[in-house]
Amino acid sequence: MNKIEHIGIAVKSLKSSNALFSKLFGETAYREEAVLSEKVNTSFFKIGETKIELLEATDKDSAINKFIEKKGEGIHHIAFHVDDILAEVARLKSEGFTVLNDTPKVGADNKWVIFLHPKTTNGVLIELCQEIKR
Ligand SMILES: CC[C@@H](C(=O)O)C(=O)SCCNC(=O)CCNC(=O)[C@H](O)C(C)(C)COP(=O)(O)OP(=O)(O)OC[C@H]1O[C@@H](n2cnc3c(N)ncnc32)[C@H](O)[C@@H]1OP(=O)(O)O
Ligand SMILES: [Co+2]
């Protein structure tokens, strides 16, 4: 892992949270993207080197909807950038972490993504991200 790739925030309404975070940052979202496999709509803001991902559920079975029902809106995950996602996952497994998907999934903003179970990371959902090379 070499830097924080983004911080994911679960929101009830992308539209109203886009307006709120635009006011907060003084900038509008630079990207909006639906990720069907995760049943979410996302938007991204950039503040210097830091990316913030807002996530709105598109289905009641979405991880984001379940999270909001249990804990309310707020920080949902921290994503770390990696150069070699499969090597990093092999290392983390050998250290005893529980990986939620062994095979990388296509995430937002052109990334391969893999999640670690929050039960093995002190209650924090961790996402690993590697650029998809096209
Ligand atoms: C847009 C794509 C991508 C990107 O490119 O950036 C994304 O960010 S997608 C983000 C949404 N997708 C995911 O979160 C996928 C990974 N998550 C999961 O697989 C599940 O959410 C989970 C973490 C395995 C939990 O699922 P499940 O066991 O079905 O839900 P429960 O509601 O029963 O929760 C069990 C347990 O885990 C706690 N929990 C759930 N989510 C989180 C979280 N984000 N952070 C911390 N803890 C979390 C939940 O509170 C339960 O705890 P207990 O109540 O103590 O048992
Ligand atoms: Co994310």
Side-chain angles (χ1 to χ4, degrees):
M1 294 184 211
N2 40 34
K3 64 171 182 176
I4 290 182
E5 212 289 324
H6 63 264
I7 295 172
I9 299 179
V11 303
K12 288 182 184 166
S13 158
L14 202 60
K15 191 172 174 214
S16 63
S17 294
N18 275 344
L20 178 75
F21 279 82
S22 295
K23 263 194 242 169
L24 182 69
F25 298 141
E27 295 211 21
T28 53
Y30 69 88
R31 184 181 178 97
E32 286 195 35
E33 184 178 346
V35 180
L36 300 183
S37 58
E38 294 300 310
K39 299 176 181 164
V40 293
N41 291 325
T42 65
S43 63
F44 284 91
F45 291 83
K46 207 169 231 170
I47 310 99
E49 293 293 301
T50 307
K51 272 166 68 178
I52 301 292
E53 175 185 56
L54 303 184
L55 303 113
E56 166 198 74
T58 56
D59 189 283
K60 64 177 174 32
D61 291 337
S62 162
I64 296 302
N65 188 50
K66 285 191 190 174
F67 178 85
I68 288 176
E69 279 186 345
K70 277 198 174 163
K71 301 189 185 204
E73 293 177 296
I75 294 181
H76 178 260
H77 62 269
I78 302 176
F80 292 92
H81 181 270
V82 296
D83 291 327
D84 183 341
I85 200 163
L86 295 177
E88 194 61 11
V89 159
R91 184 186 74 78
L92 292 168
K93 280 170 110 173
S94 76
E95 295 285 3
F97 294 98
T98 301
V99 173
L100 284 164
N101 55 300
D102 281 313
T103 307
K105 302 193 264 193
V106 176
D109 216 5
N110 198 43
K111 301 287 185 306
W112 293 115
V113 302
I114 287 181
F115 289 89
L116 306 183
H117 202 294
K119 291 287 176 203
T120 60
T121 49
N122 279 180
V124 180
L125 177 62
I126 304 288
E127 176 184 344
L128 306 178
C129 298
Q130 181 188 329
E131 303 300 328
I132 299 177
K133 294 191 182 89
R134 299 193 194 260

